[in-house]
Amino acid sequence: MQPMAGQDLLHTQPRPMHWLATATALSAVVAGASFVQPPDATATTARSTAAGRHSAAPDPGKVTFPVTCGPNRPEVVKKASGDLDADGTTETVAVVRCHSDTGTPPSGVYVLARPTDPQAAPRIVATLVAPAQQLSVRSLAVEHGVISAALLGYSDLNVPRCCPDVHKSVKWQWRDGKFIQSELPAAASTTGV
């Protein structure tokens, strides 16, 4: 077998001192690069840190919802989060109903925003579906600032409460300072939680 060219030369056989010299040189380059930054580097870092504090989704578990449940307790059965009004902060949409071991009580759909006081509970800023409307939410999704939901209901009081006969898919979008509701086409499916 023929030896490779240069195999016997001393400088081609790395020793611990070679690795130490390489590591020291590399550390010097990295340290030097930390002193050379764009003029707005610290401002960008401060903005992203401040935005990170405000972008966490509001926790619906800390909210007292306007749902009357008698002896039962209200429970959050679905939630989805996203920036709904394009202000750079995250809002949460929560589906709330009274706890029940049987049946499906009507749901309320609420939009939550972060409080101005960090110690306070999130604020309810909109009611999209009130429990008085006697609707249940089958699915909920938030995507690109659009809230979509599949709603179930009853056409009249004679329809058995086990078998909703009204099915509709709706969406809400923030426009002109309020949430605007529109129905999705019958062929559209709502995916989500």
Side-chain angles (χ1 to χ4, degrees):
M1 177 171 196
Q2 186 174 8
M4 291 178 29
Q7 185 178 13
D8 293 333
L9 300 175
L10 287 177
H11 70 275
T12 61
Q13 297 174 1
R15 293 198 162 61
M17 189 53 133
H18 290 111
W19 291 114
L20 182 60
T22 302
T24 303
L26 186 58
S27 297
V29 169
V30 170
S34 69
F35 291 111
V36 181
Q37 294 185 7
D40 65 342
T42 55
T44 302
T45 304
R47 276 196 307 268
S48 66
T49 302
R53 260 195 318 261
H54 298 295
S55 65
D59 180 5
K62 297 179 178 179
V63 177
T64 301
F65 291 97
V67 178
T68 305
C69 294
N72 297 321
R73 69 184 187 287
E75 64 182 348
V76 177
V77 292
K78 295 179 187 343
K79 65 181 179 177
S81 299
D83 185 0
L84 302 176
D85 55 1
D87 67 349
T89 60
T90 303
E91 290 82 26
T92 297
V93 182
V95 177
V96 181
R97 68 177 189 202
C98 296
H99 175 77
S100 175
D101 292 327
T102 60
T104 305
S107 302
V109 180
Y110 303 96
V111 178
L112 310 176
R114 298 207 54 79
T116 52
D117 174 9
Q119 302 303 319
R123 301 175 292 129
I124 297 173
V125 294
T127 300
L128 304 178
V129 175
Q133 292 174 269
Q134 297 294 308
L135 295 170
S136 296
V137 179
R138 186 177 70 208
S139 63
L140 174 74
V142 171
E143 191 173 334
H144 305 295
V146 177
I147 306 163
S148 55
L151 304 176
L152 303 174
Y154 306 93
S155 57
D156 64 42
L157 294 175
N158 295 325
V159 176
R161 297 295 125 181
C162 67
C163 312
D165 63 339
V166 174
H167 305 268
K168 63 181 179 176
S169 294
V170 296
K171 70 176 184 175
W172 294 271
Q173 280 185 285
W174 183 258
R175 279 193 225 134
D176 301 322
K178 60 184 173 185
F179 286 101
I180 305 296
Q181 179 183 332
S182 57
E183 287 201 33
L184 296 170
S189 67
T190 305
T191 58
V193 207

